[in-house]
């Protein structure tokens, strides 16, 4: 069975974009591949953060993912497998300073920090982030990594690092992880359908996957349908985005009926919004119920994930034993 690795940062809420763009796909992949899904708390230390919140968000993300259908045995918390850091150091020694400076995410995040403070602190951690990501992938000898366009450059770097390591030590040790492109919809912000749904834009720009029904309905009811730009007779971005949501929720009967109304020039936005709200609520209510049930059994769920991380750690430790051998690190031998 081929291996898949994917990770998510514990950044608080999970929204519809995260679900349709990533998590739903992760759940499906579990039937076909051996999957490793990491909640990557080490990565979250690369931007300013609060320690209490980091730990809280890490567990919250674990519960969210379980509620969405990720199997507990496939889920680990990155810092419970500290071998990721050891491998990251070793791989950092086969990564050039030059290639890291070309990573666009580093440039974007540096700019983001400097937007509010031109002297903002930019850490070595942020710079070295793609090396840790390479370690996350290579430590499990992952064959495939489901990636969005924004992470393609980092995966390419992971492949280069693997190749250089193999070349340097004269051994085909690390496989070259391949991207796994899956058609996933891009979900747009209800408050601005010209932008991607995202947490970083603020609360009104995303629909919380575990949100309260009344708030979710209200957000959809007030979704922007007309942004004022000339539509050239075509469908506005806001209306298209609502139809896309219906499709993503697999409400195809409602989608097709409303699309027929649209073609006949008889579409009422209030009907469209009502259908989208019903579809979204129908999707997320069971998630919230599962989340609450898991929360009620918090302690045993946490123990289960700690055990799963321990099991997954054994694979990481095996890799490190081999890597230590290959790279000449301390051993009782010799
Ligand atoms: P955010 O910061 O808004 O939570 P991230 O950049 O951390 O989003 O993305 C986490 C995952 O969710 C990634 O795989 C990303 O491709 C996916 N994702 C995020 N926003 C969207 C969106 N609006 N539509 C589709 N997929 C998305």
């Amino acid at each position: 069975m081929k291996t898949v690795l994917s990770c998510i940062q514990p950044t608080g809420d999970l929204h519809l974009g995260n679900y349709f763009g990533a998590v739903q796909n992760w759940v499906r992949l579990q039937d076909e591949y051996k999957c490793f899904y990491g909640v990557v708390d080490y990565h979250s230390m690369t931007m300013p953060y609060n320690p209490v919140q980091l730990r809280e968000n890490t567990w919250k993300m674990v519960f969210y993912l379980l509620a969405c259908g990720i199997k507990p045995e496939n889920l680990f918390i990155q810092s419970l497998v500290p071998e990721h850091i050891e491998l990251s150091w070793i791989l950092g020694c086969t990564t050039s300073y030059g290639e890291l400076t070309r990573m666009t995410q580093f440039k974007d995040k540096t700019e983001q920090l400097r937007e509010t403070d031109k002297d903002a602190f930019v850490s070595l951690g942020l710079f070295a982030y793609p090396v840790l990501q390479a370690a996350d992938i290579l430590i499990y000898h992952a064959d495939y990594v489901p990636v969005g366009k924004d992470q393609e450059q980092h995966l390419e770097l992971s492949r280069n690092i693997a190749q250089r390591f193999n070349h340097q030590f004269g051994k085909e040790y690390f496989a070259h992880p391949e991207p796994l492109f899956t058609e996933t919809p891009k979900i747009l912000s209800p408050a601005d359908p010209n932008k991607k749904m995202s947490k970083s834009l603020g609360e009104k720009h995303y629909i919380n996957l575990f949100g309260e029904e009344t708030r979710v309905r209200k957000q959809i009811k007030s979704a922007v349908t007309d942004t004022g730009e000339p539509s050239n007779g075509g469908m506005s971005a806001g209306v298209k985005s609502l139809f896309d949501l219906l499709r993503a929720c697999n409400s195809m009967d409602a989608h097709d009926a409303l699309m027929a109304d649209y073609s006949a020039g008889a579409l009422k936005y209030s009907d469209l919004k009502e259908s989208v709200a019903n579809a979204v609520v129908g999707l997320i209510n069971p998630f919230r119920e599962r989340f609450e049930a898991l929360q009620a059994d918090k302690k045993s769920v946490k123990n289960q994930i700690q055990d799963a991380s321990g099991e997954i750690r054994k694979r990481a430790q095996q890799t490190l034993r081999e890597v230590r051998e290959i790279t000449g690190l301390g051993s009782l031998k010799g």
Side-chain angles (χ1 to χ4, degrees), residues 7-9 11 13-23 26 146-150 184-189 195-200:
C7 295
I8 192 159
Q9 278 202 44
T11 49
D13 291 337
L14 207 55
H15 58 68
L16 284 183
N18 301 138
Y19 180 70
F20 289 122
V23 179
W26 288 15
V147 282
K149 283 270 167 241
D150 55 335
T184 52
K186 187 166 126 187
I187 307 297
L188 302 173
S189 155
K195 296 201 173 112
K196 229 175 79 161
M197 182 175 285
S198 168
K199 279 196 296 271
S200 46

PDB file of all heavy atoms in Angstrom, residues 7-9 11 13-23 26 146-150 184-189 195-200, ligand 1:
ATOM      1  N   CYS A   7      -0.290  17.440   6.310  1.00  0.00           N
ATOM      2  CA  CYS A   7      -0.270  18.078   7.623  1.00  0.00           C
ATOM      3  C   CYS A   7      -1.118  19.339   7.626  1.00  0.00           C
ATOM      4  O   CYS A   7      -1.343  19.944   6.589  1.00  0.00           O
ATOM      5  CB  CYS A   7       1.166  18.449   8.002  1.00  0.00           C
ATOM      6  SG  CYS A   7       2.205  17.004   8.224  1.00  0.00           S
ATOM      7  N   ILE A   8      -1.549  19.700   8.817  1.00  0.00           N
ATOM      8  CA  ILE A   8      -2.305  20.945   8.952  1.00  0.00           C
ATOM      9  C   ILE A   8      -1.841  21.660  10.218  1.00  0.00           C
ATOM     10  O   ILE A   8      -1.552  21.017  11.229  1.00  0.00           O
ATOM     11  CB  ILE A   8      -3.836  20.661   8.972  1.00  0.00           C
ATOM     12  CG1 ILE A   8      -4.631  21.963   8.820  1.00  0.00           C
ATOM     13  CG2 ILE A   8      -4.272  19.898  10.220  1.00  0.00           C
ATOM     14  CD1 ILE A   8      -6.058  21.779   8.331  1.00  0.00           C
ATOM     15  N   GLN A   9      -1.758  22.962  10.137  1.00  0.00           N
ATOM     16  CA  GLN A   9      -1.357  23.734  11.319  1.00  0.00           C
ATOM     17  C   GLN A   9      -2.554  23.935  12.239  1.00  0.00           C
ATOM     18  O   GLN A   9      -3.663  24.151  11.758  1.00  0.00           O
ATOM     19  CB  GLN A   9      -0.848  25.104  10.879  1.00  0.00           C
ATOM     20  CG  GLN A   9       0.571  25.086  10.414  1.00  0.00           C
ATOM     21  CD  GLN A   9       1.190  26.485  10.506  1.00  0.00           C
ATOM     22  OE1 GLN A   9       1.020  27.204  11.481  1.00  0.00           O
ATOM     23  NE2 GLN A   9       1.899  26.848   9.473  1.00  0.00           N
ATOM     24  N   THR A  11      -4.376  26.176  13.669  1.00  0.00           N
ATOM     25  CA  THR A  11      -4.547  27.629  13.701  1.00  0.00           C
ATOM     26  C   THR A  11      -5.939  28.074  14.165  1.00  0.00           C
ATOM     27  O   THR A  11      -6.391  29.133  13.782  1.00  0.00           O
ATOM     28  CB  THR A  11      -4.289  28.227  12.308  1.00  0.00           C
ATOM     29  OG1 THR A  11      -5.035  27.458  11.366  1.00  0.00           O
ATOM     30  CG2 THR A  11      -2.829  28.225  11.936  1.00  0.00           C
ATOM     31  N   ASP A  13     -10.017  27.788  14.190  1.00  0.00           N
ATOM     32  CA  ASP A  13     -11.190  27.212  13.521  1.00  0.00           C
ATOM     33  C   ASP A  13     -10.838  26.483  12.228  1.00  0.00           C
ATOM     34  O   ASP A  13      -9.838  26.786  11.581  1.00  0.00           O
ATOM     35  CB  ASP A  13     -12.184  28.324  13.166  1.00  0.00           C
ATOM     36  CG  ASP A  13     -12.826  28.913  14.402  1.00  0.00           C
ATOM     37  OD1 ASP A  13     -12.861  28.229  15.441  1.00  0.00           O
ATOM     38  OD2 ASP A  13     -13.278  30.071  14.331  1.00  0.00           O
ATOM     39  N   LEU A  14     -11.728  25.567  11.871  1.00  0.00           N
ATOM     40  CA  LEU A  14     -11.647  24.901  10.570  1.00  0.00           C
ATOM     41  C   LEU A  14     -12.842  25.427   9.785  1.00  0.00           C
ATOM     42  O   LEU A  14     -13.954  25.453  10.298  1.00  0.00           O
ATOM     43  CB  LEU A  14     -11.780  23.394  10.813  1.00  0.00           C
ATOM     44  CG  LEU A  14     -11.168  22.402   9.844  1.00  0.00           C
ATOM     45  CD1 LEU A  14      -9.683  22.646   9.638  1.00  0.00           C
ATOM     46  CD2 LEU A  14     -11.388  20.980  10.345  1.00  0.00           C
ATOM     47  N   HIS A  15     -12.625  25.877   8.559  1.00  0.00           N
ATOM     48  CA  HIS A  15     -13.758  26.441   7.816  1.00  0.00           C
ATOM     49  C   HIS A  15     -14.128  25.581   6.609  1.00  0.00           C
ATOM     50  O   HIS A  15     -13.447  24.583   6.302  1.00  0.00           O
ATOM     51  CB  HIS A  15     -13.490  27.899   7.444  1.00  0.00           C
ATOM     52  CG  HIS A  15     -12.252  28.138   6.631  1.00  0.00           C
ATOM     53  ND1 HIS A  15     -12.114  27.701   5.338  1.00  0.00           N
ATOM     54  CD2 HIS A  15     -11.089  28.779   6.950  1.00  0.00           C
ATOM     55  CE1 HIS A  15     -10.932  28.068   4.881  1.00  0.00           C
ATOM     56  NE2 HIS A  15     -10.272  28.717   5.843  1.00  0.00           N
ATOM     57  N   LEU A  16     -15.210  25.978   5.938  1.00  0.00           N
ATOM     58  CA  LEU A  16     -15.699  25.190   4.794  1.00  0.00           C
ATOM     59  C   LEU A  16     -14.629  25.025   3.714  1.00  0.00           C
ATOM     60  O   LEU A  16     -14.553  23.991   3.065  1.00  0.00           O
ATOM     61  CB  LEU A  16     -16.929  25.863   4.168  1.00  0.00           C
ATOM     62  CG  LEU A  16     -18.263  25.737   4.908  1.00  0.00           C
ATOM     63  CD1 LEU A  16     -19.362  26.401   4.089  1.00  0.00           C
ATOM     64  CD2 LEU A  16     -18.626  24.278   5.163  1.00  0.00           C
ATOM     65  N   GLY A  17     -13.801  26.063   3.528  1.00  0.00           N
ATOM     66  CA  GLY A  17     -12.717  25.993   2.538  1.00  0.00           C
ATOM     67  C   GLY A  17     -11.720  24.902   2.913  1.00  0.00           C
ATOM     68  O   GLY A  17     -11.309  24.102   2.064  1.00  0.00           O
ATOM     69  N   ASN A  18     -11.344  24.841   4.188  1.00  0.00           N
ATOM     70  CA  ASN A  18     -10.414  23.804   4.643  1.00  0.00           C
ATOM     71  C   ASN A  18     -11.026  22.419   4.432  1.00  0.00           C
ATOM     72  O   ASN A  18     -10.345  21.477   4.048  1.00  0.00           O
ATOM     73  CB  ASN A  18     -10.093  23.933   6.145  1.00  0.00           C
ATOM     74  CG  ASN A  18      -9.484  25.251   6.546  1.00  0.00           C
ATOM     75  OD1 ASN A  18      -9.833  25.820   7.579  1.00  0.00           O
ATOM     76  ND2 ASN A  18      -8.581  25.777   5.722  1.00  0.00           N
ATOM     77  N   TYR A  19     -12.332  22.317   4.704  1.00  0.00           N
ATOM     78  CA  TYR A  19     -12.991  21.021   4.569  1.00  0.00           C
ATOM     79  C   TYR A  19     -13.038  20.571   3.114  1.00  0.00           C
ATOM     80  O   TYR A  19     -12.529  19.502   2.774  1.00  0.00           O
ATOM     81  CB  TYR A  19     -14.402  21.052   5.172  1.00  0.00           C
ATOM     82  CG  TYR A  19     -15.078  19.701   5.031  1.00  0.00           C
ATOM     83  CD1 TYR A  19     -14.645  18.608   5.785  1.00  0.00           C
ATOM     84  CD2 TYR A  19     -16.101  19.497   4.106  1.00  0.00           C
ATOM     85  CE1 TYR A  19     -15.209  17.352   5.625  1.00  0.00           C
ATOM     86  CE2 TYR A  19     -16.668  18.245   3.944  1.00  0.00           C
ATOM     87  CZ  TYR A  19     -16.218  17.177   4.704  1.00  0.00           C
ATOM     88  OH  TYR A  19     -16.772  15.929   4.540  1.00  0.00           O
ATOM     89  N   PHE A  20     -13.630  21.402   2.250  1.00  0.00           N
ATOM     90  CA  PHE A  20     -13.778  20.988   0.846  1.00  0.00           C
ATOM     91  C   PHE A  20     -12.433  20.967   0.112  1.00  0.00           C
ATOM     92  O   PHE A  20     -12.248  20.195  -0.823  1.00  0.00           O
ATOM     93  CB  PHE A  20     -14.763  21.900   0.108  1.00  0.00           C
ATOM     94  CG  PHE A  20     -16.190  21.695   0.552  1.00  0.00           C
ATOM     95  CD1 PHE A  20     -16.933  22.745   1.055  1.00  0.00           C
ATOM     96  CD2 PHE A  20     -16.779  20.442   0.472  1.00  0.00           C
ATOM     97  CE1 PHE A  20     -18.243  22.555   1.467  1.00  0.00           C
ATOM     98  CE2 PHE A  20     -18.087  20.240   0.891  1.00  0.00           C
ATOM     99  CZ  PHE A  20     -18.820  21.300   1.381  1.00  0.00           C
ATOM    100  N   GLY A  21     -11.511  21.830   0.552  1.00  0.00           N
ATOM    101  CA  GLY A  21     -10.225  21.920  -0.135  1.00  0.00           C
ATOM    102  C   GLY A  21      -9.198  20.908   0.362  1.00  0.00           C
ATOM    103  O   GLY A  21      -8.227  20.625  -0.332  1.00  0.00           O
ATOM    104  N   ALA A  22      -9.376  20.373   1.554  1.00  0.00           N
ATOM    105  CA  ALA A  22      -8.353  19.481   2.083  1.00  0.00           C
ATOM    106  C   ALA A  22      -8.928  18.287   2.860  1.00  0.00           C
ATOM    107  O   ALA A  22      -8.748  17.133   2.465  1.00  0.00           O
ATOM    108  CB  ALA A  22      -7.385  20.277   2.972  1.00  0.00           C
ATOM    109  N   VAL A  23      -9.624  18.563   3.946  1.00  0.00           N
ATOM    110  CA  VAL A  23      -9.969  17.496   4.894  1.00  0.00           C
ATOM    111  C   VAL A  23     -10.868  16.412   4.281  1.00  0.00           C
ATOM    112  O   VAL A  23     -10.664  15.220   4.522  1.00  0.00           O
ATOM    113  CB  VAL A  23     -10.611  18.095   6.174  1.00  0.00           C
ATOM    114  CG1 VAL A  23     -10.999  17.007   7.153  1.00  0.00           C
ATOM    115  CG2 VAL A  23      -9.645  19.079   6.844  1.00  0.00           C
ATOM    116  N   TRP A  26      -8.731  14.107   2.489  1.00  0.00           N
ATOM    117  CA  TRP A  26      -7.958  13.271   3.421  1.00  0.00           C
ATOM    118  C   TRP A  26      -8.787  12.071   3.877  1.00  0.00           C
ATOM    119  O   TRP A  26      -8.282  10.955   3.972  1.00  0.00           O
ATOM    120  CB  TRP A  26      -7.598  14.054   4.683  1.00  0.00           C
ATOM    121  CG  TRP A  26      -6.567  15.100   4.539  1.00  0.00           C
ATOM    122  CD1 TRP A  26      -6.078  15.664   3.389  1.00  0.00           C
ATOM    123  CD2 TRP A  26      -5.886  15.740   5.616  1.00  0.00           C
ATOM    124  NE1 TRP A  26      -5.153  16.612   3.697  1.00  0.00           N
ATOM    125  CE2 TRP A  26      -5.014  16.686   5.048  1.00  0.00           C
ATOM    126  CE3 TRP A  26      -5.944  15.617   7.009  1.00  0.00           C
ATOM    127  CZ2 TRP A  26      -4.180  17.493   5.821  1.00  0.00           C
ATOM    128  CZ3 TRP A  26      -5.135  16.417   7.780  1.00  0.00           C
ATOM    129  CH2 TRP A  26      -4.252  17.343   7.188  1.00  0.00           C
ATOM    130  N   PRO A 146      -0.731  15.128  -0.837  1.00  0.00           N
ATOM    131  CA  PRO A 146      -1.781  15.930  -1.467  1.00  0.00           C
ATOM    132  C   PRO A 146      -1.426  17.402  -1.287  1.00  0.00           C
ATOM    133  O   PRO A 146      -1.225  17.843  -0.158  1.00  0.00           O
ATOM    134  CB  PRO A 146      -3.049  15.587  -0.676  1.00  0.00           C
ATOM    135  CG  PRO A 146      -2.665  14.613   0.374  1.00  0.00           C
ATOM    136  CD  PRO A 146      -1.179  14.476   0.404  1.00  0.00           C
ATOM    137  N   VAL A 147      -1.272  18.107  -2.378  1.00  0.00           N
ATOM    138  CA  VAL A 147      -0.854  19.506  -2.245  1.00  0.00           C
ATOM    139  C   VAL A 147      -1.761  20.443  -3.022  1.00  0.00           C
ATOM    140  O   VAL A 147      -2.302  20.091  -4.062  1.00  0.00           O
ATOM    141  CB  VAL A 147       0.584  19.762  -2.779  1.00  0.00           C
ATOM    142  CG1 VAL A 147       1.620  19.306  -1.805  1.00  0.00           C
ATOM    143  CG2 VAL A 147       0.796  19.149  -4.140  1.00  0.00           C
ATOM    144  N   GLY A 148      -1.877  21.623  -2.496  1.00  0.00           N
ATOM    145  CA  GLY A 148      -2.512  22.708  -3.234  1.00  0.00           C
ATOM    146  C   GLY A 148      -1.396  23.435  -3.969  1.00  0.00           C
ATOM    147  O   GLY A 148      -0.204  23.209  -3.698  1.00  0.00           O
ATOM    148  N   LYS A 149      -1.786  24.303  -4.880  1.00  0.00           N
ATOM    149  CA  LYS A 149      -0.810  25.047  -5.687  1.00  0.00           C
ATOM    150  C   LYS A 149       0.197  25.785  -4.800  1.00  0.00           C
ATOM    151  O   LYS A 149       1.379  25.898  -5.125  1.00  0.00           O
ATOM    152  CB  LYS A 149      -1.531  26.065  -6.573  1.00  0.00           C
ATOM    153  CG  LYS A 149      -2.187  25.429  -7.782  1.00  0.00           C
ATOM    154  CD  LYS A 149      -1.242  25.389  -8.982  1.00  0.00           C
ATOM    155  CE  LYS A 149      -1.750  24.493 -10.081  1.00  0.00           C
ATOM    156  NZ  LYS A 149      -0.957  23.376 -10.458  1.00  0.00           N
ATOM    157  N   ASP A 150      -0.279  26.296  -3.639  1.00  0.00           N
ATOM    158  CA  ASP A 150       0.582  27.117  -2.784  1.00  0.00           C
ATOM    159  C   ASP A 150       1.722  26.319  -2.160  1.00  0.00           C
ATOM    160  O   ASP A 150       2.714  26.876  -1.710  1.00  0.00           O
ATOM    161  CB  ASP A 150      -0.253  27.823  -1.696  1.00  0.00           C
ATOM    162  CG  ASP A 150      -1.089  26.840  -0.880  1.00  0.00           C
ATOM    163  OD1 ASP A 150      -1.408  25.747  -1.401  1.00  0.00           O
ATOM    164  OD2 ASP A 150      -1.414  27.166   0.273  1.00  0.00           O
ATOM    165  N   THR A 184     -10.188  19.760  -6.157  1.00  0.00           N
ATOM    166  CA  THR A 184     -10.971  20.204  -4.995  1.00  0.00           C
ATOM    167  C   THR A 184     -11.477  21.614  -5.285  1.00  0.00           C
ATOM    168  O   THR A 184     -10.775  22.402  -5.918  1.00  0.00           O
ATOM    169  CB  THR A 184     -10.125  20.232  -3.699  1.00  0.00           C
ATOM    170  OG1 THR A 184      -8.937  20.973  -3.954  1.00  0.00           O
ATOM    171  CG2 THR A 184      -9.773  18.858  -3.201  1.00  0.00           C
ATOM    172  N   PRO A 185     -12.686  21.917  -4.847  1.00  0.00           N
ATOM    173  CA  PRO A 185     -13.222  23.239  -5.164  1.00  0.00           C
ATOM    174  C   PRO A 185     -12.554  24.324  -4.336  1.00  0.00           C
ATOM    175  O   PRO A 185     -12.111  24.080  -3.208  1.00  0.00           O
ATOM    176  CB  PRO A 185     -14.696  23.106  -4.786  1.00  0.00           C
ATOM    177  CG  PRO A 185     -14.749  22.032  -3.765  1.00  0.00           C
ATOM    178  CD  PRO A 185     -13.609  21.096  -4.047  1.00  0.00           C
ATOM    179  N   LYS A 186     -12.443  25.494  -4.936  1.00  0.00           N
ATOM    180  CA  LYS A 186     -11.954  26.648  -4.171  1.00  0.00           C
ATOM    181  C   LYS A 186     -13.187  27.350  -3.619  1.00  0.00           C
ATOM    182  O   LYS A 186     -14.081  27.725  -4.380  1.00  0.00           O
ATOM    183  CB  LYS A 186     -11.174  27.564  -5.123  1.00  0.00           C
ATOM    184  CG  LYS A 186     -10.489  28.701  -4.420  1.00  0.00           C
ATOM    185  CD  LYS A 186      -9.487  29.338  -5.335  1.00  0.00           C
ATOM    186  CE  LYS A 186      -9.754  30.824  -5.438  1.00  0.00           C
ATOM    187  NZ  LYS A 186      -8.916  31.488  -6.428  1.00  0.00           N
ATOM    188  N   ILE A 187     -13.251  27.490  -2.327  1.00  0.00           N
ATOM    189  CA  ILE A 187     -14.424  28.096  -1.693  1.00  0.00           C
ATOM    190  C   ILE A 187     -14.144  29.580  -1.445  1.00  0.00           C
ATOM    191  O   ILE A 187     -13.054  29.936  -0.967  1.00  0.00           O
ATOM    192  CB  ILE A 187     -14.754  27.359  -0.366  1.00  0.00           C
ATOM    193  CG1 ILE A 187     -14.888  25.845  -0.601  1.00  0.00           C
ATOM    194  CG2 ILE A 187     -16.010  27.927   0.273  1.00  0.00           C
ATOM    195  CD1 ILE A 187     -16.003  25.417  -1.525  1.00  0.00           C
ATOM    196  N   LEU A 188     -15.125  30.404  -1.757  1.00  0.00           N
ATOM    197  CA  LEU A 188     -14.888  31.849  -1.663  1.00  0.00           C
ATOM    198  C   LEU A 188     -15.504  32.443  -0.397  1.00  0.00           C
ATOM    199  O   LEU A 188     -16.372  31.835   0.236  1.00  0.00           O
ATOM    200  CB  LEU A 188     -15.447  32.523  -2.916  1.00  0.00           C
ATOM    201  CG  LEU A 188     -14.824  31.965  -4.212  1.00  0.00           C
ATOM    202  CD1 LEU A 188     -15.523  32.518  -5.444  1.00  0.00           C
ATOM    203  CD2 LEU A 188     -13.323  32.258  -4.284  1.00  0.00           C
ATOM    204  N   SER A 189     -15.037  33.623  -0.082  1.00  0.00           N
ATOM    205  CA  SER A 189     -15.527  34.312   1.112  1.00  0.00           C
ATOM    206  C   SER A 189     -16.974  34.761   0.911  1.00  0.00           C
ATOM    207  O   SER A 189     -17.295  35.338  -0.127  1.00  0.00           O
ATOM    208  CB  SER A 189     -14.636  35.534   1.374  1.00  0.00           C
ATOM    209  OG  SER A 189     -15.364  36.508   2.111  1.00  0.00           O
ATOM    210  N   LYS A 195     -12.589  36.946  -3.148  1.00  0.00           N
ATOM    211  CA  LYS A 195     -11.455  36.445  -2.359  1.00  0.00           C
ATOM    212  C   LYS A 195     -11.737  35.030  -1.884  1.00  0.00           C
ATOM    213  O   LYS A 195     -12.888  34.640  -1.716  1.00  0.00           O
ATOM    214  CB  LYS A 195     -11.241  37.344  -1.136  1.00  0.00           C
ATOM    215  CG  LYS A 195     -10.844  38.758  -1.505  1.00  0.00           C
ATOM    216  CD  LYS A 195     -10.172  39.426  -0.323  1.00  0.00           C
ATOM    217  CE  LYS A 195      -9.608  40.777  -0.707  1.00  0.00           C
ATOM    218  NZ  LYS A 195     -10.317  41.883  -0.080  1.00  0.00           N
ATOM    219  N   LYS A 196     -10.643  34.293  -1.615  1.00  0.00           N
ATOM    220  CA  LYS A 196     -10.757  32.937  -1.097  1.00  0.00           C
ATOM    221  C   LYS A 196     -11.279  32.977   0.338  1.00  0.00           C
ATOM    222  O   LYS A 196     -10.911  33.882   1.093  1.00  0.00           O
ATOM    223  CB  LYS A 196      -9.347  32.329  -1.072  1.00  0.00           C
ATOM    224  CG  LYS A 196      -9.232  30.958  -1.677  1.00  0.00           C
ATOM    225  CD  LYS A 196      -7.785  30.521  -1.710  1.00  0.00           C
ATOM    226  CE  LYS A 196      -7.322  30.018  -0.356  1.00  0.00           C
ATOM    227  NZ  LYS A 196      -6.119  29.202  -0.404  1.00  0.00           N
ATOM    228  N   MET A 197     -12.119  32.029   0.704  1.00  0.00           N
ATOM    229  CA  MET A 197     -12.507  31.927   2.105  1.00  0.00           C
ATOM    230  C   MET A 197     -11.241  31.697   2.915  1.00  0.00           C
ATOM    231  O   MET A 197     -10.450  30.812   2.593  1.00  0.00           O
ATOM    232  CB  MET A 197     -13.466  30.744   2.299  1.00  0.00           C
ATOM    233  CG  MET A 197     -13.953  30.606   3.718  1.00  0.00           C
ATOM    234  SD  MET A 197     -15.193  29.303   3.941  1.00  0.00           S
ATOM    235  CE  MET A 197     -16.649  30.028   3.249  1.00  0.00           C
ATOM    236  N   SER A 198     -11.028  32.524   3.923  1.00  0.00           N
ATOM    237  CA  SER A 198      -9.790  32.394   4.693  1.00  0.00           C
ATOM    238  C   SER A 198      -9.929  33.017   6.076  1.00  0.00           C
ATOM    239  O   SER A 198     -10.612  34.021   6.246  1.00  0.00           O
ATOM    240  CB  SER A 198      -8.658  33.084   3.930  1.00  0.00           C
ATOM    241  OG  SER A 198      -7.536  33.206   4.752  1.00  0.00           O
ATOM    242  N   LYS A 199      -9.249  32.384   7.032  1.00  0.00           N
ATOM    243  CA  LYS A 199      -9.295  32.912   8.402  1.00  0.00           C
ATOM    244  C   LYS A 199      -8.551  34.225   8.506  1.00  0.00           C
ATOM    245  O   LYS A 199      -8.933  35.102   9.262  1.00  0.00           O
ATOM    246  CB  LYS A 199      -8.659  31.912   9.363  1.00  0.00           C
ATOM    247  CG  LYS A 199      -9.588  30.801   9.754  1.00  0.00           C
ATOM    248  CD  LYS A 199      -9.087  30.080  10.968  1.00  0.00           C
ATOM    249  CE  LYS A 199      -7.769  29.392  10.712  1.00  0.00           C
ATOM    250  NZ  LYS A 199      -7.895  28.030  10.193  1.00  0.00           N
ATOM    251  N   SER A 200      -7.475  34.337   7.724  1.00  0.00           N
ATOM    252  CA  SER A 200      -6.632  35.524   7.904  1.00  0.00           C
ATOM    253  C   SER A 200      -7.342  36.813   7.483  1.00  0.00           C
ATOM    254  O   SER A 200      -6.930  37.895   7.881  1.00  0.00           O
ATOM    255  CB  SER A 200      -5.299  35.361   7.167  1.00  0.00           C
ATOM    256  OG  SER A 200      -5.529  34.862   5.881  1.00  0.00           O
TER     257      SER A 200
HETATM  258  P1  LIG B   1      -6.655  29.047   6.521  1.00  0.00           P
HETATM  259  O1  LIG B   1      -5.473  29.810   7.046  1.00  0.00           O
HETATM  260  O2  LIG B   1      -7.697  29.929   5.906  1.00  0.00           O
HETATM  261  O3  LIG B   1      -7.235  28.069   7.496  1.00  0.00           O
HETATM  262  P2  LIG B   1      -4.710  27.363   5.239  1.00  0.00           P
HETATM  263  O4  LIG B   1      -3.905  28.181   4.291  1.00  0.00           O
HETATM  264  O5  LIG B   1      -4.125  27.012   6.557  1.00  0.00           O
HETATM  265  O6  LIG B   1      -6.121  28.109   5.364  1.00  0.00           O
HETATM  266  O7  LIG B   1      -5.109  26.032   4.477  1.00  0.00           O
HETATM  267  C1  LIG B   1      -5.292  24.747   5.048  1.00  0.00           C
HETATM  268  C2  LIG B   1      -5.794  23.829   3.944  1.00  0.00           C
HETATM  269  O8  LIG B   1      -7.096  24.232   3.495  1.00  0.00           O
HETATM  270  C3  LIG B   1      -4.927  23.847   2.678  1.00  0.00           C
HETATM  271  O9  LIG B   1      -4.858  22.543   2.140  1.00  0.00           O
HETATM  272  C4  LIG B   1      -5.666  24.767   1.722  1.00  0.00           C
HETATM  273  O10 LIG B   1      -5.411  24.450   0.367  1.00  0.00           O
HETATM  274  C5  LIG B   1      -7.122  24.515   2.104  1.00  0.00           C
HETATM  275  N1  LIG B   1      -7.913  25.742   1.894  1.00  0.00           N
HETATM  276  C6  LIG B   1      -7.833  26.876   2.627  1.00  0.00           C
HETATM  277  N2  LIG B   1      -8.737  27.787   2.216  1.00  0.00           N
HETATM  278  C7  LIG B   1      -9.408  27.228   1.177  1.00  0.00           C
HETATM  279  C8  LIG B   1     -10.485  27.674   0.325  1.00  0.00           C
HETATM  280  N3  LIG B   1     -11.034  28.869   0.478  1.00  0.00           N
HETATM  281  N4  LIG B   1     -10.928  26.835  -0.640  1.00  0.00           N
HETATM  282  C9  LIG B   1     -10.376  25.604  -0.782  1.00  0.00           C
HETATM  283  N5  LIG B   1      -9.385  25.124  -0.011  1.00  0.00           N
HETATM  284  C10 LIG B   1      -8.888  25.907   0.961  1.00  0.00           C
END
